Amino acid sequence: PPLFAHAGQIRAVSLSPDGNWLATGSDDGTAMVWYLPTFTQGIEGGQPVQLQTMHGAVFSLAFSPDSRQLFTGGGTPPWVSENAKDHGFQVWETYNLSKPPESYLSHNGPVTAMYLNIGDEQLVTASWDKTVQVRELDDLSKAGLTLRSHDEFVSDIALDPNGHFLVSVSGERSAHLWDVVSPHSAVQVLRQPRGWINGVTASKDLQWLAAGGDDGVVYVWDRFDLEIQPLRLSTAAEPLIDLFFVGDEDELIAISQDNHVYYWAELGEAEEALVLRGHEGAIESSVLSENGRYLVPGDVHGEIRVWDLTSPESVPIVYRSQDGSINALALTDDNHTLASGTESGTIHLWDLRNVSNRARILASHAAAITTLDFDSMGQQLVSAGEDNSVQLWETANLRRPTQIWQDHSDG
């Protein structure tokens, strides 16, 4: 039978790097933690651990690289109370979750995002209070650096792989670029002339930063010369849904609400995009393979197109689902299996090595799928849905989910 999970909406889901731990955070102020081998090996009596955090709501989660620590971040949202003092983060030991956590009151608003900068042993947090804080992991009690330049709440953060540059995004139609190594240098504000920012991405070599939003234009900055005007790459006059840089190359993909995918093979010059057409309905979700070879969008009519970016002008593989809109997509790292989640709550598994095969259909959730993710080995699939449940599937045995975690609330 379903196990009780949360009494509020699930706000965050995180799988540990070693694949052993699954954590969820909720509006009810709790985090639920499952030790997955207990369930996948059929051990009786396994139950998730409920962590009663200090937060009014848990908005962000992060595991340490060795999976031995879980960071929970959050606070009471301002629409619930403007005077709450529970904004910050806590650090829990995964193998001793009954031990009281280390607790840190940090921001003046809920912590909306967290990032562990492992190379420099730092924790970076973003908040509703319009700031970003950088703390040393060996002394989390104080913020070594507080970055203030946003005019509205900070919704997301990202660091380059070397931990030198931080990009923070907020609602005032701008992305801010920080030099973490030289924090007193001037912040670079990457601002769009019009429209809200829907996505920010960086090339693997860190030369290019791209942002796209409601005006249907992609702005691309050269990080080594931020004083010059950005490249302005036009699509259609429709909002952009997502942006990807591809592999090690300066190739950029933008997905638009006009049902098309726009592909630039080179950014040295503002060349015209190759338009990948075919979808007759709005693109609802997309995934890029780990090696950058395959781009897979899914649309509102249940159509999925698999584009091989080594030959983008070739005809894509087309799959069709009869269960409505494609709300979520996931690829295994070896590119052998594609999972799609629909608005009716079913999961379809497609074998990319044999395109003539029909999908394996999993009768999964009682409402629309919202999230899908494979582990790094492709042996487990995690799904979350609008029925407020999280399900874990063993790809070697798909007759039924290994475990169901059900939220009994109405939210």
Side-chain angles (χ1 to χ4, degrees):
L3 296 177
F4 175 79
H6 292 288
Q9 183 177 350
I10 296 173
R11 291 287 185 175
V13 178
S14 183
L15 188 65
S16 66
D18 65 7
N20 284 338
W21 303 92
L22 175 70
T24 58
S26 171
D27 278 348
D28 64 8
T30 69
M32 301 294 292
V33 184
W34 292 268
Y35 184 58
L36 297 182
T38 299
F39 301 102
T40 59
Q41 295 170 12
I43 300 174
E44 294 185 2
Q47 294 287 335
V49 177
Q50 183 182 57
L51 306 179
Q52 186 63 54
T53 75
M54 69 177 184
H55 318 300
V58 178
F59 287 102
S60 53
L61 297 165
F63 281 97
S64 61
D66 61 6
S67 303
R68 300 189 69 85
Q69 290 180 313
L70 170 66
F71 293 74
T72 61
T76 299
W79 59 84
V80 175
S81 172
E82 295 184 353
N83 301 314
K85 304 296 182 182
D86 60 352
H87 310 306
F89 62 93
Q90 294 179 289
V91 187
W92 310 76
E93 293 183 13
T94 53
Y95 288 93
N96 188 10
L97 290 169
S98 61
K99 178 182 177 181
E102 298 176 12
S103 301
Y104 303 92
L105 295 173
S106 53
H107 294 270
N108 293 318
V111 173
T112 54
M114 293 190 294
Y115 192 98
L116 285 169
N117 180 8
I118 303 309
D120 292 327
E121 297 186 341
Q122 296 170 325
L123 173 69
V124 184
T125 57
S127 172
W128 198 274
D129 68 2
K130 310 175 187 178
T131 69
V132 176
Q133 294 183 1
V134 182
R135 296 168 183 261
E136 302 298 323
L137 289 178
D138 60 2
D139 185 8
L140 291 169
S141 61
K142 60 183 179 181
L145 178 64
T146 299
L147 308 176
R148 311 175 189 270
S149 67
H150 286 283
D151 296 327
E152 295 185 24
F153 73 93
V154 184
S155 58
D156 205 359
I157 51 177
L159 270 76
D160 73 74
N162 297 319
H164 291 170
F165 291 93
L166 167 70
V167 177
S168 54
V169 182
S170 74
E172 83 274 11
R173 308 175 188 180
S174 68
H176 295 199
L177 177 67
W178 309 84
D179 186 339
V180 179
V181 177
S182 302
H184 299 295
S185 59
V187 60
Q188 300 288 340
V189 180
L190 314 179
R191 191 179 298 276
Q192 287 191 174
R194 300 184 303 277
W196 297 94
I197 290 180
N198 295 340
V200 175
T201 188
S203 62
K204 195 168 183 179
D205 62 7
L206 307 181
Q207 178 178 358
W208 303 101
L209 297 168
D214 285 348
D215 61 358
V217 177
V218 181
Y219 299 87
V220 185
W221 291 265
D222 185 339
R223 183 174 63 80
F224 300 111
D225 196 355
L226 290 168
E227 299 301 323
I228 65 171
Q229 290 295 312
L231 295 175
R232 189 177 185 276
L233 307 178
S234 297
T235 60
E238 296 286 340
L240 297 174
I241 302 170
D242 216 342
L243 290 171
F244 303 98
F245 276 101
V246 180
D248 297 327
E249 306 299 328
D250 296 333
E251 304 170 39
L252 180 64
I253 289 171
I255 298 177
S256 170
Q257 282 189 7
D258 70 352
N259 310 341
H260 299 330
V261 177
Y262 295 81
Y263 173 74
W264 291 271
E266 189 174 343
L267 291 178
E269 299 178 1
E271 63 178 33
E272 189 170 328
L274 171 65
V275 183
L276 308 181
R277 307 176 188 273
H279 287 283
E280 296 183 0
I283 295 173
E284 292 291 310
S285 58
S286 59
V287 64
L288 182 69
S289 66
E290 187 70 21
N291 63 0
R293 176 172 180 176
Y294 296 105
L295 174 71
V296 187
D299 70 24
V300 70
H301 296 318
E303 184 174 277
I304 301 167
R305 291 178 170 256
V306 183
W307 299 90
D308 186 341
L309 297 179
T310 62
S311 180
E313 296 188 72
S314 60
V315 177
I317 300 169
V318 179
Y319 296 121
R320 290 182 176 86
S321 163
Q322 303 300 317
D323 292 335
S325 175
I326 305 298
N327 289 5
L329 291 161
L331 268 170
T332 54
D333 285 357
D334 60 12
N335 299 327
H336 290 172
T337 305
L338 170 68
S340 60
T342 69
E343 65 177 346
S344 66
T346 59
I347 297 173
H348 295 220
L349 294 180
W350 312 87
D351 186 349
L352 298 186
R353 296 166 296 178
N354 190 343
V355 298
S356 63
N357 281 356
R358 293 186 176 183
R360 178 79 178 270
I361 301 176
L362 311 179
S364 179
H365 293 263
I369 305 290
T370 57
T371 304
L372 291 172
D373 196 14
F374 284 103
D375 70 0
S376 60
M377 301 299 291
Q379 296 176 353
Q380 295 177 325
L381 173 66
V382 175
S383 62
E386 289 183 1
D387 58 359
N388 298 324
S389 73
V390 178
Q391 299 187 9
L392 177 69
W393 302 81
E394 292 291 312
T395 55
N397 182 10
L398 293 168
R399 290 175 296 176
R400 56 187 174 85
T402 303
Q403 191 61 52
I404 303 173
W405 303 296
Q406 181 72 43
D407 179 344
H408 286 177
S409 72
D410 294 331

